Amino acid sequence: MTLLQKLSVGYFVALMIAASLNYIPGLTDEAGLAFGIFALDLYDDALHVASALWALIAGLMSHRAARSFLILFGLAYLGDGIFGFFTGYGYLDLGIFTNEALGMEISLRRVLANLPHLALGGVAVWAGLRNLGQRQ
């Protein structure tokens, strides 16, 4: 198993944890915000589970499949985080289409709300484009 395949399997674990956040007692506040920062609904959970399954299948299939997953997933999640930072909503959950933009806001809450997608997406794109751990 190459490094990219292992990374894809790691993304499976991370995304399944993200999908489970609403179901772990004490992680959401009275307003339903995970860690008091962002709200996750059933649609978000379904997206995380679907992405997790894609990551697992790609990681188990081949280096090439893992690389494709990391690049495509990474671009989608990185873009979603960028949109979320600048508008308050992402596009993966259709938020930019169903809500009026909140505008640019430089706040700790906005950064923390979008950091998971920025970090996961950025690392995935970087690793996939660098083709880390390719077999020679």
Side-chain angles (χ1 to χ4, degrees):
M1 186 175 270
T2 67
L3 183 58
L4 289 187
Q5 288 177 275
K6 290 176 185 176
L7 186 59
S8 289
V9 172
Y11 270 75
F12 164 75
V13 173
L15 289 162
M16 288 304 289
I17 290 170
S20 68
L21 289 177
N22 279 340
Y23 312 102
I24 300 172
L27 293 185
T28 55
D29 63 13
E30 59 280 346
L33 298 176
F35 306 112
I37 301 171
F38 51 84
L40 296 170
D41 58 22
L42 191 57
Y43 184 72
D44 294 316
D45 295 339
L47 279 170
H48 287 127
V49 170
S51 297
L53 292 174
W54 179 23
L56 180 64
I57 292 166
L60 296 176
M61 277 183 63
S62 68
H63 176 85
R64 183 176 176 194
R67 182 172 186 253
S68 293
F69 160 76
L70 290 166
I71 293 170
L72 295 173
F73 165 87
L75 289 171
Y77 270 61
L78 181 60
D80 193 64
I82 291 168
F83 268 82
F85 186 74
F86 286 103
T87 69
Y89 299 100
Y91 55 76
L92 291 176
D93 65 356
L94 305 178
I96 63 169
F97 304 109
T98 59
N99 300 293
E100 188 173 330
L102 299 175
M104 177 65 180
E105 176 186 319
I106 300 177
S107 68
L108 182 60
R109 184 174 180 182
R110 180 75 62 94
V111 171
L112 292 176
N114 291 289
L115 190 59
H117 280 214
L118 293 170
L120 285 172
V123 169
V125 169
W126 176 80
L129 292 177
R130 291 281 315 234
N131 205 10
L132 296 179
Q134 69 181 350
R135 290 188 176 140
Q136 302 297 347

